[in-house]
Amino acid sequence: MIELAFSILAADFTHLADEIRIASDAGGTVCHVDVMDGHFVPNITFGPPVVAAVRGVTDLPLDCHLMIEDPDRYIPAFAAAGANWISVQQEVCKHLHRTLTSIREHGCEPGVVINPATPIETIFEILPIVHHVLVMTVNPGFGGQSFLPFCVEKVRRLAQYRAQHGLNFRIEVDGGIAEDTVGQVVEAGAELLVAGSAIFEPGKTAENVRNFLKAARG
Ligand code: DX5
Ligand code: ZN
């Protein structure tokens, strides 16, 4: 199922509850929360208190994308704050299977994220235990960056691997996904579509969501 995971990183933080309501009323079905620590990525964003606040204003799945070092240390706090899905970056996990298992033990759906430069082969062994794979289509750290077209082939190969091995994880993409780029990632096999700057815009968010979903499903 094609779904929009709207990234609140691009929302107006002074009206976050309204922003989430507008994006979900217009058709967004997953709320993507970008957690950055200033170490793994050169930017700092939200922590568990913001996740807890968002939990209070929406029933949508909260998709917490942890762009942080040592995610094991923070899984309990994000789970307690109300995260539904927690994804960790392959690049920081020394014991990826252990970390994904811990996410599951804390009652959340585990996801793994790979940066543009990280080959899909690095996650083959753990694919049977993940709920989703997030294929980054920009280098993580900031919203509003340009889509990297070479990542489309990674999505395509991952979808082929999934079919060949009878697996059922979902494929998510994140970074520079907009009306003009979404078609190629959907065609390659992505169905959870993260979008921030293409969605949130004062007075135009609802219209942007509808146009985005039309382009994605069309
Ligand atoms: C980037 C984040 C993204 C970001 C996407 O590091 O992981 O989720 O919010 O923003 P856009 O859609 O503007 O590229
Ligand atoms: Zn993200």
Side-chain angles (χ1 to χ4, degrees):
M1 185 179 48
I2 302 283
E3 296 190 71
L4 166 63
F6 54 85
S7 168
I8 60 169
L9 187 58
D12 176 350
F13 299 148
T14 61
H15 302 281
L16 193 49
D18 294 334
E19 295 278 79
I20 291 170
R21 184 178 39 77
I22 292 165
S24 62
D25 285 353
T29 44
V30 175
C31 181
H32 185 84
V33 183
D34 286 305
V35 177
M36 305 189 190
D37 68 351
H39 292 272
F40 176 65
V41 289
N43 193 8
I44 300 177
T45 57
F46 330 111
V50 172
V51 174
V54 170
R55 178 74 294 162
V57 300
T58 182
D59 292 328
L60 292 183
L62 297 187
D63 173 23
C64 294
H65 173 192
L66 304 189
M67 286 160 275
I68 65 175
E69 283 173 9
D70 203 2
D72 301 82
R73 226 175 116 188
Y74 298 97
I75 288 164
F78 282 103
N84 300 99
W85 306 352
I86 296 180
S87 57
V88 291
Q89 296 271 162
Q90 182 275 347
E91 299 83 5
V92 299
C93 292
K94 292 194 178 100
H95 308 286
L96 183 55
H97 180 269
R98 176 182 286 149
T99 302
L100 295 167
T101 303
S102 167
I103 293 170
R104 177 87 65 197
E105 285 170 356
H106 283 85
C108 299
E109 298 284 6
V112 63
V113 192
I114 49 173
N115 279 342
T118 303
I120 64 168
E121 285 77 5
T122 60
I123 57 170
F124 280 171
E125 275 71 17
I126 52 78
L127 290 175
I129 65 161
V130 294
H131 167 264
H132 59 290
V133 175
L134 173 46
V135 177
M136 290 306 299
T137 43
V138 298
N139 292 298
F142 303 94
Q145 302 183 84
S146 298
F147 178 78
L148 296 171
F150 74 85
C151 299
V152 175
E153 199 51 31
K154 294 172 70 181
V155 172
R156 191 184 316 282
R157 289 173 49 234
L158 196 57
Q160 280 164 358
Y161 185 93
R162 178 176 62 184
Q164 281 161 3
H165 292 80
L167 298 170
N168 55 17
F169 59 85
R170 303 184 73 187
I171 301 178
E172 185 172 35
V173 285
D174 183 6
I177 307 296
E179 262 183 78
D180 59 337
T181 52
V182 74
Q184 52 190 306
V185 287
V186 168
E187 189 271 328
E191 40 138 7
L192 290 168
L193 311 166
V194 178
S197 54
I199 297 303
F200 289 103
E201 185 179 354
K204 285 195 66 187
T205 298
E207 183 186 337
N208 290 345
V209 168
R210 286 190 291 266
N211 289 339
F212 179 93
L213 283 169
K214 200 186 292 172
R217 290 170 177 155

